[in-house]
Amino acid sequence: MSYWLLPCPQAQAAFAELSRQACRGLRGCTLPPHITLYSDRLDNEDNAIDRLRQVAEGRKPVRLSPLAIEAGPLFTMSLVVRFGVNEELTHWCTQLRERSPQGLDYHLNPHLSLLYSTEPVAEKQALARQLPLAAPALFNRVGAVVHPLTITTAADIAAVKALHDQTLA
């Protein structure tokens, strides 16, 4: 399962358009635009939602500036918008890890996936160079989702199920 930081509607539309552009050049699948704050094994859906609510209480939206569009060999890092690690994102990750009974050693790697694809890396890299870098974006929601612990196929992406979505104050 994962906890996601989700963009406001305007930023979500901009990232969705980038994903559509990527899908014109490559075959692949997508998920709603998000940055994963923390991933772990699911212990209980209600507990996961409670953890997210506790950590989100009193939190404000965060504006993030994209650093680059990158492509890589991993399915989960096929074509991504890269963001820098900042204090706010680190705090989210730490708080979620501390409240997790599983306590996996998740490493925060702030990126928003535009596309999950098995296309050759060279083709993904060529497309990454063609896509425009997004403007700074406001992220004003968090969510909890259930998915296979390791995501390597389109079937794993299709198995993602939203548990809870919460707007930040």
Side-chain angles (χ1 to χ4, degrees), residues 43-123:
D43 61 331
N44 173 289
E45 289 183 6
D46 291 333
N47 291 345
I49 293 168
D50 285 342
R51 271 192 293 282
L52 183 64
R53 285 182 176 147
Q54 290 169 14
V55 172
E57 187 175 323
R59 303 299 290 240
K60 300 208 179 307
V62 59
R63 184 169 300 281
L64 300 174
S65 295
L67 301 176
I69 296 178
E70 300 174 352
L74 298 176
F75 185 68
T76 54
M77 299 288 287
S78 292
L79 192 62
V80 302
V81 177
R82 170 82 47 212
F83 295 88
V85 175
N86 67 23
E87 188 176 317
E88 186 71 15
L89 296 179
T90 301
H91 184 75
W92 276 99
C93 183
T94 301
Q95 292 293 305
L96 290 164
R97 179 183 295 116
E98 289 173 353
R99 285 172 170 77
S100 171
Q102 307 294 320
L104 288 185
D105 190 24
Y106 178 81
H107 295 284
L108 181 63
N109 180 6
H111 65 277
L112 184 146
S113 292
L114 297 173
L115 179 70
Y116 301 87
S117 175
T118 57
E119 297 287 333
V121 174
E123 290 180 34

Side-chain angles (χ1 to χ4, degrees), residues 19-30 71-72 78-79 114-128 131:
S19 286
R20 280 190 289 281
Q21 290 176 29
C23 287
R24 287 186 202 122
L26 296 172
R27 289 185 313 272
C29 52
T30 62
S78 292
L79 192 62
L114 297 173
L115 179 70
Y116 301 87
S117 175
T118 57
E119 297 287 333
V121 174
E123 290 180 34
K124 292 185 280 190
Q125 289 171 336
L127 182 57
L131 292 173

